[in-house]
Amino acid sequence: MTEQPDKIKQRFGIGLLCSGVLVGALQLAAPWVQAAESEPTQTLKQAKTYTVTSAPIEPLHLDTPTLPDLSGYTAEAVKAKIERSKKGQVVVRSMLQQDALKDFIGGDERLREWVKRQQGMPNAIFIEGGYVTLQDLAKRLPDNQFRQVKPGVYLARLPIVVAQNATLHVDKNVEELRLSQERGAFMVNDGKLFITDTRLTAWREADNGPATFRKPDEFRPFLVSWGGSELYISDSVVTSLGYNTSKSYGVSITQYTPNMHKRLQRKEPTGWLLNSEFVDHWYGFYCYEAADVVIKGNTYRDNIVYGIDPHDRSHGLIIAENTVHGTKKKHGIIISREVDDSWIINNKSYDNKLSGIVIDRNSINNLIAYNEVSQNHADGITLYESSHNLLWGNKVLNNARHGIRVRNSVDIRLYENVSAANALTGVYGHIKDLSATDRNISLDPFDTKISMIVVGGTLAANGSGPLSIDSPLSVELYRVKLIAPTKSTGISFSGILGEKQEEILDLMVRRNLAVLIDPVERQTELQD
């Protein structure tokens, strides 16, 4: 149903060099632009002499990217995956010595948490051996562990664990499943978990309402789906999960921790999250070393740290047709640390505390296309230390800082994007030495290099100008519309490349040619 990861590089043409050189940036950042940054930007100033020449047009051509077929990701397809032929069993046993729970009871402090909440050695509900519904749980368990509080509404007062080779289905006959905050309830999926046409809510019994966020370290129920598992959520509302503790962020699809994975050898976890609403979670969605996850048609609203956050070494992801807004601390959508070969397409990300979409920490070979990214309180689309990515046909409008920002990344291609009415620069590229920060350089290496192509699209009415780039390797520009300048002097470049402004505009605007801008040092290297 989705394209294989090895085809994505062919489809995007990622990693190829245009006109025989790396493609880079346009304009050295003016000091007053950097001063407008809300975080300090330590750049590496290099004295370079740049030349401007026309470049061949043919190598700049890219076919419109082929998007994955989304038609098969439906509620009906989810339900078709449910295996009901074998009935499962429900048992209650100790949380101790259980692989699926070791991350949550390891160490005296975390064990004390559940001893205190359960007022004794902690137990959990285990679904094993086949298919189980919440109605089955209510029939087999006492009210102090799991009960129906009114028709269709169930309250879990113990953790629920779906074991390997088992299936739990929270279906349309369930109006709401509530997970008790006071009693330390949460959900762990080690098999298959289906949540369809219903509501899942972290529940504060003292308030008889959702366990809305109060502070980062306060326990709130969560859902985690482990290595080897499958998680499917469709046409549902999921509310108020997660807090600031590892693997307890909200809704998570994650491989086991390295030591556990070495022993258990589970395959990469996966799942589909479709046409659902995720509200007031610590992270709206998180994944780690997951594969082929589909996040389609959802609303992520008023989550605390991130809306959608795929992380370490996840790949083959489809993040499509989602609306993400109101994230309170950081970004709307972020992929970080080697999240590769994925699609971020046709999403709306707006009114988030920082950026709308972020590609971070060596995440490569991704397509970011046809997204509407607006009114975010920092940048629109941000790429940090993530080379070989393609941005196509995005609308990046009215963000509080830069429209599209690129740092320490090469072979970034911007095709047919509109970046307009952003407070600072339409496209801003820069290098930064991160070695003096708290970054783990061995885990997250970087090069202070930047290059990009800009083809087609429009840069309009951005507060600090259309493009600004610090110490590029090189740049190619073609068919870029530069309109509606905010300055009375009109469209202008600054810094070293300002000296070449007439040549750039003559080639690109008057003569409709592709422009190659690169440093003399680079040309000497190529000749040698």
Side-chain angles (χ1 to χ4, degrees), residues 41 43 62 80 95 101 103 180 197 199 227 256 264 307 316 344 390 420 424 524:
T41 301
T43 58
L62 286 181
M95 292 173 65
L101 296 175
D103 264 47
S180 170
D197 307 287
R199 298 181 69 95
Y256 276 100
L264 298 175
I344 302 175
L390 172 61
L424 297 180
T524 303

Side-chain angles (χ1 to χ4, degrees), residues 24-46:
L26 174 63
Q27 176 185 343
L28 287 178
W32 49 269
V33 173
Q34 295 178 16
E37 299 281 350
S38 63
E39 63 177 353
T41 301
Q42 180 186 352
T43 58
L44 301 179
K45 296 300 181 184
Q46 300 178 20

Side-chain angles (χ1 to χ4, degrees), residues 23 123-124 181 311 372 380 412 420 457 474 515:
V23 293
N123 293 318
Q181 180 184 36
H311 231 276
E372 295 183 15
I412 300 302
S474 64
V515 180

Side-chain angles (χ1 to χ4, degrees), residues 205-255:
E205 293 189 63
D207 296 344
N208 195 32
T212 52
F213 175 76
R214 294 190 294 204
K215 56 184 180 180
D217 296 329
E218 178 184 33
F219 168 83
R220 293 199 300 173
F222 56 88
L223 189 165
V224 61
S225 195
W226 282 126
S229 69
E230 299 177 27
L231 172 66
Y232 300 94
I233 300 176
S234 68
D235 299 292
S236 295
V237 178
V238 185
T239 304
S240 297
L241 300 182
Y243 67 119
N244 187 26
T245 300
S246 177
K247 311 296 185 181
S248 307
Y249 301 132
V251 176
S252 302
I253 298 177
T254 175
Q255 184 54 272

Side-chain angles (χ1 to χ4, degrees), residues 117 147 155 157 178-183 202-212 214 218:
R117 291 181 182 277
R147 68 187 178 97
L155 176 67
R157 305 189 82 226
R178 299 171 176 174
L179 305 176
S180 170
Q181 180 184 36
E182 287 90 340
R183 294 280 293 180
W203 196 255
R204 187 172 293 136
E205 293 189 63
D207 296 344
N208 195 32
T212 52
R214 294 190 294 204
E218 178 184 33

Side-chain angles (χ1 to χ4, degrees), residues 153-198:
V153 178
Y154 297 86
L155 176 67
R157 305 189 82 226
L158 292 179
I160 298 172
V161 180
V162 184
Q164 276 189 286
N165 304 316
T167 297
L168 175 63
H169 187 192
V170 185
D171 61 15
K172 65 181 180 180
N173 297 313
V174 176
E175 179 182 329
E176 185 174 39
L177 170 58
R178 299 171 176 174
L179 305 176
S180 170
Q181 180 184 36
E182 287 90 340
R183 294 280 293 180
F186 57 91
M187 299 186 76
V188 172
N189 177 33
D190 212 25
K192 294 183 179 180
L193 173 58
F194 294 84
I195 299 173
T196 61
D197 307 287
T198 188

Side-chain angles (χ1 to χ4, degrees), residues 43 93 243 281 336 351 372 374 427 508 523:
T43 58
R93 65 166 63 96
Y243 67 119
H281 304 297
S336 184
D351 191 28
E372 295 183 15
S374 64
V427 176
M508 185 174 69
Q523 298 168 36

Side-chain angles (χ1 to χ4, degrees), residues 341-353:
D341 303 312
S342 296
W343 296 262
I344 302 175
I345 55 175
N346 287 306
N347 300 284
K348 294 181 180 180
S349 184
Y350 64 91
D351 191 28
N352 299 292
K353 180 66 173 178

